[in-house]
Coordinates of all heavy atoms in Angstrom, one line a residue:
R1 N -13.2 8.4 -1.7 CA -14.0 8.4 -0.7 C -13.7 9.3 0.3 O -14.4 10.1 1.0 CB -14.2 7.0 -0.1 CG -15.1 6.1 -0.9 CD -15.5 4.9 0.0 NE -16.3 3.9 -0.7 CZ -16.7 2.9 -0.2 NH1 -16.3 2.5 1.0 NH2 -17.6 2.2 -0.9
V2 N -12.3 9.3 0.6 CA -11.8 10.3 1.6 C -12.0 11.7 1.2 O -12.4 12.5 2.1 CB -10.2 10.0 1.8 CG1 -9.7 11.1 2.7 CG2 -10.1 8.6 2.4
I3 N -11.9 12.0 0.0 CA -12.0 13.4 -0.6 C -13.5 13.7 -0.5 O -13.8 14.9 -0.2 CB -11.4 13.6 -2.0 CG1 -10.0 13.4 -2.0 CG2 -11.8 14.9 -2.6 CD1 -9.3 13.4 -3.2
E4 N -14.3 12.8 -0.7 CA -15.8 13.2 -0.6 C -16.1 13.5 0.8 O -16.9 14.4 1.2 CB -16.6 11.9 -1.1 CG -16.6 11.7 -2.5 CD -17.4 10.5 -2.9 OE1 -18.0 9.8 -2.1 OE2 -17.2 10.1 -4.2
Q5 N -15.5 12.8 1.8 CA -15.9 13.0 3.2 C -15.1 14.2 3.8 O -15.7 14.8 4.7 CB -15.5 11.7 4.0 CG -16.4 10.5 3.6 CD -16.0 9.3 4.3 OE1 -15.0 9.3 5.1 NE2 -16.7 8.2 4.0
K6 N -13.8 14.4 3.3 CA -13.0 15.4 3.9 C -12.3 16.2 2.7 O -11.2 16.1 2.4 CB -11.9 14.9 4.8 CG -12.4 14.2 6.1 CD -11.3 13.7 6.9 CE -11.8 13.2 8.1 NZ -10.6 12.7 8.9
P7 N -13.1 17.1 1.9 CA -12.5 17.7 0.9 C -11.3 18.6 1.2 O -10.5 19.0 0.3 CB -13.6 18.5 0.3 CG -14.7 18.6 1.2 CD -14.4 17.4 2.3
E8 N -11.2 18.9 2.5 CA -10.0 19.8 2.9 C -8.8 19.0 3.2 O -7.8 19.7 3.4 CB -10.4 20.7 4.0 CG -10.5 20.0 5.3 CD -11.8 19.2 5.4 OE1 -12.8 19.3 4.7 OE2 -12.0 18.5 6.5
D9 N -8.8 17.8 3.1 CA -7.7 17.0 3.4 C -6.6 17.0 2.2 O -6.8 16.4 1.2 CB -8.1 15.6 3.6 CG -6.9 14.6 4.1 OD1 -5.8 14.9 3.9 OD2 -7.3 13.5 4.7
K10 N -5.6 17.8 2.4 CA -4.6 18.1 1.4 C -3.8 16.9 1.0 O -3.5 16.7 -0.1 CB -3.6 19.3 1.9 CG -4.5 20.6 2.0 CD -3.5 21.8 2.3 CE -4.3 23.0 2.3 NZ -4.4 23.6 3.7
E11 N -3.5 16.0 2.0 CA -2.7 14.9 1.8 C -3.4 13.9 0.9 O -2.9 13.3 0.0 CB -2.3 14.2 3.1 CG -1.2 15.0 3.8 CD 0.1 15.2 3.0 OE1 0.5 14.3 2.4 OE2 0.6 16.3 3.1
A12 N -4.7 13.8 1.1 CA -5.4 12.8 0.3 C -5.7 13.4 -1.1 O -5.5 12.6 -2.1 CB -6.9 12.7 0.9
R13 N -5.9 14.6 -1.3 CA -5.9 15.3 -2.6 C -4.6 15.2 -3.3 O -4.6 15.0 -4.5 CB -6.4 16.7 -2.4 CG -7.7 17.0 -1.9 CD -8.2 18.4 -1.7 NE -7.9 19.3 -2.7 CZ -7.8 20.6 -2.6 NH1 -7.9 21.2 -1.5 NH2 -7.6 21.3 -3.7
R14 N -3.5 15.3 -2.6 CA -2.2 15.1 -3.3 C -2.0 13.6 -3.6 O -1.5 13.4 -4.6 CB -1.1 15.6 -2.3 CG 0.2 15.6 -2.8 CD 1.1 16.3 -1.8 NE 2.5 16.1 -2.2 CZ 3.6 16.6 -1.6 NH1 3.4 17.3 -0.6 NH2 4.7 16.4 -2.1
A15 N -2.6 12.8 -2.8 CA -2.3 11.4 -3.1 C -3.2 11.0 -4.3 O -2.7 10.3 -5.4 CB -2.8 10.5 -2.0
V16 N -4.4 11.6 -4.5 CA -5.2 11.5 -5.7 C -4.5 12.0 -6.9 O -4.6 11.3 -8.0 CB -6.6 12.0 -5.5 CG1 -7.5 12.0 -6.7 CG2 -7.3 11.3 -4.4
A17 N -4.0 13.1 -6.7 CA -3.3 13.6 -8.0 C -2.0 12.8 -8.4 O -1.9 12.6 -9.6 CB -2.8 15.1 -7.5
D18 N -1.3 12.4 -7.4 CA -0.3 11.4 -7.8 C -0.8 10.1 -8.4 O -0.2 9.6 -9.4 CB 0.6 11.0 -6.5 CG 1.7 12.2 -6.1 OD1 2.1 12.7 -7.1 OD2 2.0 12.1 -5.0
L19 N -1.9 9.6 -7.9 CA -2.5 8.4 -8.6 C -2.9 8.8 -10.0 O -2.8 7.9 -10.9 CB -3.7 7.9 -7.7 CG -3.2 7.2 -6.5 CD1 -4.5 6.9 -5.6 CD2 -2.5 6.0 -6.7
T20 N -3.5 9.9 -10.2 CA -4.0 10.4 -11.5 C -2.8 10.4 -12.4 O -2.9 10.0 -13.7 CB -4.7 11.7 -11.4 OG1 -5.7 11.7 -10.5 CG2 -5.2 12.2 -12.8
A21 N -1.7 10.8 -12.0 CA -0.4 10.8 -12.8 C 0.1 9.5 -13.2 O 0.4 9.3 -14.2 CB 0.6 11.7 -12.1
I22 N 0.0 8.6 -12.1 CA 0.4 7.1 -12.3 C -0.5 6.5 -13.3 O -0.1 5.7 -14.1 CB 0.3 6.4 -11.0 CG1 1.6 7.0 -10.1 CG2 0.5 4.9 -11.2 CD1 1.6 6.6 -8.7
L23 N -1.8 6.9 -13.3 CA -2.8 6.3 -14.3 C -2.7 6.9 -15.6 O -3.6 6.7 -16.4 CB -4.2 6.4 -13.7 CG -4.5 5.6 -12.4 CD1 -5.8 6.0 -11.8 CD2 -4.5 4.1 -12.7
D24 N -1.6 7.7 -16.0 CA -1.3 8.1 -17.3 C -2.3 9.2 -17.7 O -2.8 9.3 -18.9 CB -1.3 7.0 -18.2 CG -0.4 7.4 -19.5 OD1 0.4 8.3 -19.4 OD2 -0.7 6.9 -20.6
K25 N -2.6 10.1 -16.6 CA -3.5 11.2 -16.9 C -2.7 12.5 -16.5 O -3.1 13.2 -15.5 CB -4.8 11.1 -16.3 CG -5.6 9.9 -16.7 CD -6.9 9.7 -16.1 CE -7.5 8.5 -16.6 NZ -8.9 8.2 -15.9
P26 N -1.6 12.8 -17.1 CA -0.7 13.9 -16.6 C -1.4 15.3 -16.6 O -1.2 16.1 -15.7 CB 0.5 13.9 -17.5 CG 0.0 13.2 -18.7 CD -1.1 12.2 -18.3
L27 N -2.2 15.6 -17.5 CA -2.9 17.0 -17.6 C -3.9 17.1 -16.5 O -4.0 18.1 -15.8 CB -3.5 17.2 -18.9 CG -2.6 17.3 -20.1 CD1 -3.3 17.5 -21.4 CD2 -1.5 18.4 -19.9
A28 N -4.7 16.0 -16.2 CA -5.6 16.0 -15.1 C -4.9 16.2 -13.7 O -5.3 16.9 -12.8 CB -6.5 14.7 -15.0
A29 N -3.8 15.4 -13.6 CA -2.9 15.4 -12.5 C -2.3 16.8 -12.2 O -2.3 17.4 -11.0 CB -1.8 14.4 -12.5
L30 N -1.9 17.4 -13.2 CA -1.3 18.8 -13.1 C -2.4 19.8 -12.6 O -2.1 20.6 -11.7 CB -0.8 19.2 -14.4 CG 0.7 18.7 -14.8 CD1 1.0 19.0 -16.2 CD2 1.7 19.1 -13.9
G31 N -3.6 19.7 -13.2 CA -4.7 20.5 -12.8 C -4.9 20.3 -11.3 O -5.1 21.3 -10.7
Q32 N -5.1 19.1 -10.9 CA -5.2 19.0 -9.4 C -4.1 19.4 -8.6 O -4.4 20.1 -7.6 CB -5.4 17.4 -9.2 CG -6.7 16.8 -9.9 CD -6.5 15.3 -9.9 OE1 -5.6 14.6 -9.6 NE2 -7.8 14.6 -10.1
M33 N -2.9 19.1 -9.0 CA -1.7 19.7 -8.2 C -1.6 21.3 -8.1 O -1.4 21.8 -7.1 CB -0.5 19.2 -8.8 CG -0.3 17.7 -8.6 SD 1.3 17.1 -9.4 CE 1.0 15.3 -9.2
E34 N -1.9 21.8 -9.4 CA -1.9 23.2 -9.4 C -3.1 23.9 -8.5 O -2.9 25.0 -7.9 CB -1.9 23.7 -10.8 CG -0.7 23.4 -11.6 CD -0.8 23.6 -13.2 OE1 -1.9 24.0 -13.6 OE2 0.2 23.6 -13.7
D35 N -4.2 23.2 -8.5 CA -5.3 23.8 -7.7 C -5.0 23.7 -6.2 O -5.2 24.7 -5.4 CB -6.6 22.9 -7.8 CG -7.3 23.1 -9.2 OD1 -6.9 24.1 -9.8 OD2 -8.1 22.3 -9.6
L36 N -4.3 22.6 -5.8 CA -3.8 22.4 -4.5 C -2.8 23.6 -4.2 O -2.7 24.1 -3.1 CB -3.3 21.1 -4.3 CG -2.9 20.7 -2.8 CD1 -4.0 20.9 -1.8 CD2 -2.5 19.2 -2.9
Q37 N -1.9 23.8 -5.1 CA -0.8 24.8 -4.9 C -1.3 26.2 -4.8 O -0.9 26.9 -3.9 CB 0.2 24.7 -6.1 CG 1.5 25.6 -5.9 CD 2.4 25.4 -7.0 OE1 2.0 25.4 -8.2 NE2 3.7 25.2 -6.7
V38 N -2.3 26.5 -5.6 CA -2.9 27.8 -5.5 C -3.6 28.0 -4.2 O -3.5 29.0 -3.5 CB -4.0 28.0 -6.6 CG1 -4.8 29.2 -6.5 CG2 -3.3 28.1 -8.0
E39 N -4.3 27.0 -3.7 CA -5.0 27.0 -2.4 C -4.0 27.3 -1.2 O -4.2 27.9 -0.3 CB -5.8 25.7 -2.2 CG -6.6 25.7 -1.0 CD -7.4 24.4 -0.9 OE1 -8.0 24.0 -1.9 OE2 -7.3 23.8 0.2
Q40 N -2.8 26.6 -1.4 CA -1.8 26.7 -0.3 C -1.3 28.1 -0.4 O -1.0 28.8 0.7 CB -0.7 25.7 -0.5 CG -1.1 24.4 -0.2 CD 0.1 23.3 -0.5 OE1 1.0 23.6 -1.1 NE2 -0.1 22.1 0.0
M41 N -1.0 28.8 -1.7 CA -0.7 30.1 -1.8 C -1.5 31.0 -1.1 O -1.1 32.0 -0.4 CB -0.2 30.4 -3.2 CG 0.9 29.7 -3.6 SD 1.0 30.0 -5.5 CE 2.8 30.0 -5.7
R42 N -2.7 30.9 -1.3 CA -3.8 31.8 -0.7 C -3.7 31.8 0.8 O -4.1 32.7 1.5 CB -5.2 31.4 -1.2 CG -5.5 31.8 -2.6 CD -6.8 31.5 -3.0 NE -7.1 31.7 -4.3 CZ -8.0 31.1 -5.1 NH1 -8.7 30.0 -4.7 NH2 -8.1 31.4 -6.3
Q43 N -3.3 30.6 1.3 CA -3.3 30.5 2.8 C -1.9 30.9 3.4 O -1.7 30.9 4.5 CB -3.5 29.1 3.2 CG -4.9 28.5 2.9 CD -5.1 27.0 3.2 OE1 -4.2 26.3 3.5 NE2 -6.3 26.6 3.1
G44 N -1.1 31.4 2.4 CA 0.3 32.0 2.9 C 1.3 30.9 3.0 O 2.4 31.1 3.7
S45 N 1.2 29.8 2.6 CA 2.2 28.6 2.8 C 2.5 28.1 1.4 O 1.9 28.3 0.3 CB 1.6 27.5 3.6 OG 0.5 26.9 3.0
S46 N 3.6 27.3 1.3 CA 4.0 26.8 0.1 C 4.6 25.4 0.4 O 4.9 25.0 1.6 CB 5.1 27.5 -0.6 OG 6.3 27.6 0.2
D47 N 4.6 24.5 -0.6 CA 5.1 23.1 -0.4 C 6.1 22.8 -1.5 O 5.8 22.7 -2.7 CB 3.9 22.2 -0.6 CG 4.2 20.7 -0.3 OD1 5.5 20.4 -0.3 OD2 3.3 19.9 -0.1
A48 N 7.4 22.7 -1.1 CA 8.5 22.6 -2.1 C 8.3 21.2 -2.8 O 8.6 21.1 -4.0 CB 9.9 22.7 -1.4
E49 N 7.9 20.2 -2.0 CA 7.7 18.9 -2.5 C 6.6 18.9 -3.6 O 6.7 18.2 -4.6 CB 7.4 17.9 -1.5 CG 7.2 16.4 -2.0 CD 8.4 15.9 -2.6 OE1 9.6 16.4 -2.4 OE2 8.3 15.0 -3.4
L50 N 5.5 19.5 -3.3 CA 4.5 19.7 -4.4 C 5.0 20.4 -5.7 O 4.7 20.0 -6.8 CB 3.2 20.4 -3.9 CG 2.1 20.5 -4.8 CD1 1.6 19.2 -5.2 CD2 1.0 21.3 -4.1
S51 N 5.7 21.4 -5.4 CA 6.4 22.2 -6.6 C 7.3 21.4 -7.5 O 7.2 21.3 -8.7 CB 7.1 23.5 -6.2 OG 6.2 24.3 -5.5
R52 N 8.1 20.5 -6.7 CA 9.0 19.6 -7.3 C 8.2 18.5 -8.2 O 8.4 18.2 -9.3 CB 9.9 18.9 -6.4 CG 11.0 18.0 -7.0 CD 11.5 17.0 -6.0 NE 10.7 16.2 -5.5 CZ 10.1 15.1 -6.1 NH1 10.5 14.8 -7.4 NH2 9.2 14.2 -5.6
R53 N 7.0 18.0 -7.6 CA 6.3 17.0 -8.2 C 5.6 17.5 -9.5 O 5.4 16.9 -10.5 CB 5.3 16.4 -7.2 CG 4.4 15.3 -7.9 CD 5.3 14.0 -8.1 NE 4.4 13.0 -8.5 CZ 4.6 12.3 -9.6 NH1 5.6 12.6 -10.5 NH2 3.8 11.3 -10.0
I54 N 5.1 18.8 -9.5 CA 4.5 19.4 -10.6 C 5.5 19.6 -11.7 O 5.2 19.2 -12.8 CB 3.9 20.9 -10.2 CG1 2.7 20.7 -9.3 CG2 3.6 21.7 -11.5 CD1 2.2 22.0 -8.7
Q55 N 6.7 20.0 -11.4 CA 7.8 20.2 -12.4 C 8.1 18.8 -13.0 O 8.3 18.6 -14.1 CB 9.0 20.8 -11.8 CG 10.0 21.0 -12.8 CD 11.3 21.6 -12.2 OE1 11.3 22.0 -11.1 NE2 12.4 21.6 -13.0
Q56 N 8.1 17.7 -12.2 CA 8.4 16.4 -12.6 C 7.3 15.9 -13.6 O 7.7 15.4 -14.7 CB 8.6 15.4 -11.4 CG 8.9 14.0 -11.9 CD 9.0 13.0 -10.6 OE1 8.3 13.4 -9.5 NE2 9.7 12.0 -10.8
V57 N 6.1 16.1 -13.2 CA 5.0 15.7 -14.1 C 5.1 16.4 -15.4 O 4.8 15.8 -16.5 CB 3.6 15.7 -13.4 CG1 2.4 15.5 -14.3 CG2 3.6 14.8 -12.3
Q58 N 5.3 17.7 -15.4 CA 5.4 18.6 -16.6 C 6.6 18.2 -17.5 O 6.4 17.9 -18.7 CB 5.6 20.0 -16.2 CG 4.4 20.7 -15.7 CD 4.9 22.1 -15.1 OE1 5.9 22.3 -14.8 NE2 3.8 23.0 -15.0
E59 N 7.7 17.8 -17.0 CA 8.7 17.4 -17.8 C 8.6 16.0 -18.4 O 8.8 15.8 -19.5 CB 10.1 17.3 -16.8 CG 10.7 18.7 -16.5 CD 11.8 18.5 -15.5 OE1 12.2 17.5 -15.1 OE2 12.2 19.7 -15.1
E60 N 7.9 15.1 -17.7 CA 7.6 13.8 -18.1 C 6.6 13.9 -19.2 O 6.8 13.2 -20.3 CB 7.1 12.9 -17.1 CG 8.1 12.4 -16.0 CD 7.6 11.8 -14.9 OE1 6.2 11.6 -14.9 OE2 8.2 11.3 -14.1
F61 N 5.6 14.8 -19.1 CA 4.7 15.0 -20.2 C 5.3 15.6 -21.5 O 5.1 15.1 -22.6 CB 3.5 15.9 -19.7 CG 2.6 16.3 -20.8 CD1 1.6 15.4 -21.2 CD2 2.5 17.5 -21.4 CE1 0.7 15.7 -22.2 CE2 1.7 17.9 -22.3 CZ 0.7 16.9 -22.8
L62 N 6.3 16.6 -21.3 CA 6.9 17.3 -22.4 C 7.8 16.2 -23.1 O 7.9 16.2 -24.4 CB 7.7 18.4 -22.0 CG 6.7 19.6 -21.6 CD1 7.6 20.8 -21.1 CD2 6.1 20.1 -22.7
Q63 N 8.5 15.4 -22.4 CA 9.4 14.4 -22.9 C 8.7 13.3 -23.8 O 9.1 13.0 -24.8 CB 10.2 13.7 -21.8 CG 11.3 14.6 -21.2 CD 11.9 14.0 -20.0 OE1 11.5 13.0 -19.6 NE2 13.2 14.4 -19.8
R64 N 7.5 13.0 -23.3 CA 6.6 12.1 -24.1 C 6.2 12.7 -25.3 O 5.9 12.1 -26.4 CB 5.5 11.7 -23.3 CG 5.9 10.7 -22.2 CD 4.8 10.4 -21.2 NE 3.9 9.5 -22.0 CZ 2.7 9.2 -21.4 NH1 2.4 9.4 -20.2 NH2 1.8 8.4 -22.1
R65 N 6.0 13.9 -25.3 CA 5.5 14.8 -26.5 C 6.7 15.1 -27.5 O 6.5 15.7 -28.4 CB 4.8 16.0 -26.1 CG 3.7 15.8 -25.2 CD 2.5 15.5 -25.9 NE 2.2 16.4 -26.9 CZ 1.1 16.3 -27.7 NH1 0.4 15.2 -27.8 NH2 0.9 17.2 -28.7
G66 N 7.9 14.7 -27.1 CA 9.0 15.0 -28.1 C 10.0 16.2 -27.6 O 10.9 16.4 -28.3
F67 N 9.7 16.8 -26.5 CA 10.5 17.8 -26.1 C 11.5 17.3 -25.2 O 11.3 16.3 -24.4 CB 9.7 18.9 -25.3 CG 8.7 19.6 -26.3 CD1 7.4 19.1 -26.3 CD2 9.1 20.8 -26.9 CE1 6.5 19.7 -27.2 CE2 8.2 21.4 -27.7 CZ 6.9 21.0 -27.9
Q68 N 12.6 18.0 -25.2 CA 13.8 17.4 -24.3 C 14.3 18.7 -23.6 O 14.6 19.7 -24.2 CB 14.8 16.9 -25.1 CG 15.9 16.1 -24.3 CD 16.8 15.3 -25.2 OE1 16.8 15.6 -26.3 NE2 17.5 14.4 -24.7
P69 N 14.6 18.6 -22.3 CA 15.1 19.8 -21.5 C 16.4 20.1 -22.0 O 17.2 19.2 -22.4 CB 15.3 19.3 -20.0 CG 14.4 18.1 -20.0 CD 14.3 17.5 -21.3
P70 N 16.9 21.3 -22.2 CA 18.1 21.6 -22.7 C 19.4 21.1 -22.1 O 20.3 20.8 -22.7 CB 18.2 23.2 -22.6 CG 17.1 23.6 -21.7 CD 16.1 22.5 -21.7
W71 N 19.3 20.7 -20.7 CA 20.3 20.1 -20.1 C 20.5 18.7 -20.4 O 21.6 18.1 -20.0 CB 20.2 20.4 -18.6 CG 19.0 19.7 -17.9 CD1 18.9 18.4 -17.6 CD2 17.7 20.3 -17.7 NE1 17.6 18.2 -17.1 CE2 16.9 19.3 -17.2 CE3 17.3 21.5 -17.9 CZ2 15.6 19.6 -16.9 CZ3 16.0 21.8 -17.6 CH2 15.1 20.9 -17.0
E72 N 19.5 18.0 -21.1 CA 19.7 16.8 -21.5 C 19.8 16.6 -23.1 O 19.8 15.5 -23.6 CB 18.4 16.0 -21.2 CG 18.3 15.7 -19.7 CD 17.1 14.8 -19.3 OE1 16.3 14.5 -20.3 OE2 16.9 14.6 -18.2
D73 N 20.1 17.7 -23.7 CA 20.2 17.7 -25.2 C 21.6 17.5 -25.4 O 22.6 18.3 -25.4 CB 19.8 19.1 -25.8 CG 19.8 19.1 -27.2 OD1 20.1 18.0 -27.9 OD2 19.4 20.1 -27.9
Y74 N 22.0 16.2 -25.8 CA 23.4 15.8 -26.2 C 23.8 16.1 -27.5 O 25.0 16.0 -27.8 CB 23.5 14.3 -25.8 CG 23.2 13.9 -24.5 CD1 22.0 13.1 -24.1 CD2 23.9 14.3 -23.4 CE1 21.7 12.8 -22.8 CE2 23.6 14.0 -22.0 CZ 22.5 13.2 -21.8 OH 22.3 12.9 -20.5
Q75 N 22.9 16.4 -28.4 CA 23.2 16.6 -29.7 C 23.9 18.1 -30.0 O 24.6 18.2 -30.8 CB 22.0 16.5 -30.7 CG 21.7 15.1 -30.7 CD 20.3 14.9 -31.5 OE1 19.8 15.9 -32.0 NE2 19.9 13.7 -31.6
R76 N 23.4 19.0 -29.1 CA 24.0 20.4 -29.2 C 25.1 20.5 -28.3 O 25.1 20.4 -27.0 CB 23.0 21.3 -28.7 CG 22.0 21.8 -29.9 CD 21.2 23.1 -29.5 NE 20.1 22.5 -28.7 CZ 19.4 23.3 -27.9 NH1 19.8 24.5 -27.7 NH2 18.5 22.9 -27.2
R77 N 26.3 20.7 -28.9 CA 27.5 20.8 -28.1 C 28.1 22.1 -28.5 O 28.1 22.5 -29.5 CB 28.5 19.6 -28.4 CG 27.9 18.3 -28.1 CD 28.8 17.1 -28.5 NE 28.1 15.9 -28.5 CZ 28.4 15.1 -27.6 NH1 29.4 15.2 -26.8 NH2 27.7 13.8 -27.7
P78 N 28.7 22.8 -27.5 CA 29.2 24.1 -27.6 C 30.4 24.0 -28.7 O 31.2 23.1 -28.7 CB 29.9 24.5 -26.3 CG 29.2 23.6 -25.3 CD 28.8 22.4 -26.0
G79 N 30.3 24.9 -29.6 CA 31.4 24.9 -30.7 C 31.2 24.0 -31.8 O 32.0 24.1 -32.8
K80 N 30.1 23.4 -31.9 CA 29.8 22.6 -33.0 C 28.6 22.9 -33.7 O 27.6 23.4 -33.4 CB 29.7 21.0 -32.5 CG 31.0 20.6 -32.0 CD 30.9 19.0 -31.9 CE 32.2 18.5 -31.5 NZ 32.4 17.1 -31.4

């Protein structure tokens, strides 16, 4: 309802994106977060917390799909 009444409310949009991620819809959440990030860039600002959250949702999605970040790959060890 808040977004319908105040579509420019960035905090509400961010909260909805986080709720979307929590409801196990990571791709929809990423779309919402990236739209918000693009809008902020157009206005000449950036949000480090939003960037971190986007990365977190992306990593969680990839891990669920069977991908693992290289820094967590314990099977590959130097020299083996």
Side-chain angles (χ1 to χ4, degrees):
R1 286 186 174 186
V2 172
I3 293 178
E4 290 174 3
Q5 294 174 0
K6 295 181 179 181
E8 70 283 350
D9 188 339
K10 292 180 180 120
E11 288 303 315
R13 290 174 55 199
R14 187 171 170 176
V16 168
D18 278 332
L19 287 173
T20 303
I22 290 168
L23 292 172
D24 201 25
K25 297 178 183 177
L27 295 179
L30 283 171
Q32 293 167 348
M33 291 177 189
E34 289 171 352
D35 288 346
L36 188 54
Q37 187 177 46
V38 167
E39 190 176 308
Q40 288 177 348
M41 289 174 148
R42 285 184 184 147
Q43 295 173 353
S45 65
S46 65
D47 183 347
E49 180 62 26
L50 179 61
S51 297
R52 186 198 62 75
R53 184 68 176 124
I54 289 171
Q55 182 177 353
Q56 182 182 22
V57 172
Q58 288 172 335
E59 288 175 0
E60 289 171 1
F61 177 73
L62 289 174
Q63 287 174 342
R64 289 176 67 186
R65 301 282 302 177
F67 293 92
Q68 189 172 17
W71 60 87
E72 290 183 356
D73 188 0
Y74 301 112
Q75 294 178 359
R76 275 191 280 159
R77 297 173 195 250
K80 292 193 177 190

